[in-house]
Amino acid sequence: MWTDCNPASGTRLVPVDGLHVHYKREGQGPTVVLLHGSGSSLEGFERVAALLSASYDVIRPDLPGFGRTGPRPDRDYRVRTYAGTIARFMTALQLPNFAVAGNSLGGNIAWNLALEAPERVNGLVLVNATGYPDKTLPAGMRLARNPVLRPLLRRWLPRRATESGLREAVGANSAIVDDAMVDRVHALTSRPGNRSAFVDFANTDQPDRSTEIPRIAVPTLVLRSAEVDGQHFARDIPGAQERVHPDGGHLLPEEDPDWVAAAIAEFLSGNQGRR
């Protein structure tokens, strides 16, 4: 296993698919991988990871195209490609089996990984995951698909647009969108190549695999905010458990990390030894 550290960010990095995938790892115990959503980074699970690390080996990568990992050389941002990259990332870390939890895009990647490599995934947690065709697109995705704005967004994104997108994504706990959060997200989004990668991702034709969701056979927990639409995982995955947050938005791991971490820990502890 090849790995290195980036002192400036405190992340580790490992080569996968022509990238240096940046990640953080903390704690000891069964392994759980936390996958952030689009336009985010490993910091999106910061507090959840801190809470879980008391009992788990917690790994948080920056997904290709986001955070410090940066854009893919091949510009392939299909969800199925992301799932393969995460599988190879875990192989590079010499971890054949793990639980995986993902928010939004991260959840989409997670359930695709459970379909592609069920022998490796021993627990699946979907936090406001995407993957159904009737899911409402966030404002940032809608802007990036606008043919007039696409060239501009590759070069420039105003800070106020970052703030507006974050405020749209949260629920009642809007106070979490403070200057520090906006500055962090905007700085990472503005890293070289990331804006262009997001435009590429937003305009990638994602094959609809939702009809395959009932084939998922790993133990699954669905964490959903009541206001989030277009999500039917609890209905379609056999035996899935579901918990609904009454007033959360799309960014539950940051809006209510204690609730998310407690739900994940209870679910994983209940499934240890089942597979």
Side-chain angles (χ1 to χ4, degrees):
M1 177 181 68
W2 185 99
T3 187
D4 201 352
C5 294
N6 181 350
S9 63
T11 58
R12 307 182 194 186
L13 52 150
V14 63
V16 182
D17 292 357
L19 297 158
H20 285 127
V21 176
H22 286 245
Y23 69 100
K24 288 190 176 183
R25 186 174 185 179
E26 53 208 303
Q28 292 184 329
T31 300
V32 56
V33 186
L34 304 177
L35 304 179
H36 65 79
S38 63
S40 187
S41 65
L42 59 82
E43 279 82 3
F45 272 104
E46 186 86 34
R47 177 61 180 162
V48 173
L51 293 167
L52 290 176
S53 64
S55 303
Y56 294 92
D57 170 23
V58 184
I59 297 173
R60 293 175 288 147
D62 273 339
L63 294 171
F66 303 103
R68 300 162 191 83
T69 294
R72 291 184 63 96
D74 59 9
R75 300 173 67 180
D76 183 354
Y77 296 105
R78 292 172 295 175
V79 170
R80 204 164 188 168
T81 301
Y82 271 112
T85 297
I86 294 301
R88 289 183 287 277
F89 166 70
M90 297 304 289
T91 297
L93 297 184
Q94 300 177 1
L95 293 166
N97 303 105
F98 47 89
V100 58
N103 178 218
S104 189
L105 167 64
N108 198 338
I109 296 166
W111 68 255
N112 273 265
L113 183 55
L115 279 175
E116 297 291 317
E119 73 285 353
R120 299 192 66 180
V121 178
N122 51 36
L124 175 65
V125 182
L126 305 176
V127 188
N128 289 332
T130 59
Y132 285 91
D134 51 344
K135 179 74 179 70
T136 300
L137 289 176
M141 293 281 285
R142 297 194 299 270
L143 288 173
R145 291 185 176 188
N146 185 307
V148 176
L149 295 177
R150 278 200 302 258
L152 176 64
L153 290 175
R154 290 185 187 277
R155 301 190 305 272
W156 178 70
L157 179 70
R159 184 183 181 279
R160 66 179 178 274
T162 300
E163 181 176 0
S164 176
L166 289 170
R167 293 197 181 282
E168 180 191 59
V170 301
N173 188 17
S174 59
I176 69 165
V177 184
D178 57 12
D179 285 344
M181 182 182 189
V182 175
D183 287 344
R184 180 249 299 172
V185 174
H186 188 67
L188 290 171
T189 302
S190 300
R191 286 177 63 88
N194 279 357
R195 287 188 300 270
S196 192
F198 181 76
V199 173
D200 288 339
F201 164 73
N203 288 279
T204 295
D205 183 19
Q206 301 287 356
D208 179 12
R209 301 191 73 190
S210 60
T211 58
E212 300 179 59
I213 289 172
R215 294 201 294 107
I216 294 174
V218 305
T220 301
L221 171 66
V222 178
L223 300 180
R224 179 175 63 85
S225 293
E227 70 170 29
V228 172
D229 65 347
Q231 205 182 114
H232 312 295
F233 297 101
R235 178 194 71 190
D236 292 344
I237 299 175
Q241 304 173 37
E242 183 180 44
R243 294 190 181 186
V244 179
H245 195 288
D247 56 9
H250 201 63
L251 303 181
L252 269 182
E254 294 189 81
E255 296 174 68
D256 198 342
D258 290 34
W259 186 85
V260 172
I264 293 174
E266 181 179 343
F267 169 71
L268 294 180
S269 64
N271 282 290
Q272 286 177 16
R274 285 180 54 183
R275 299 191 72 204

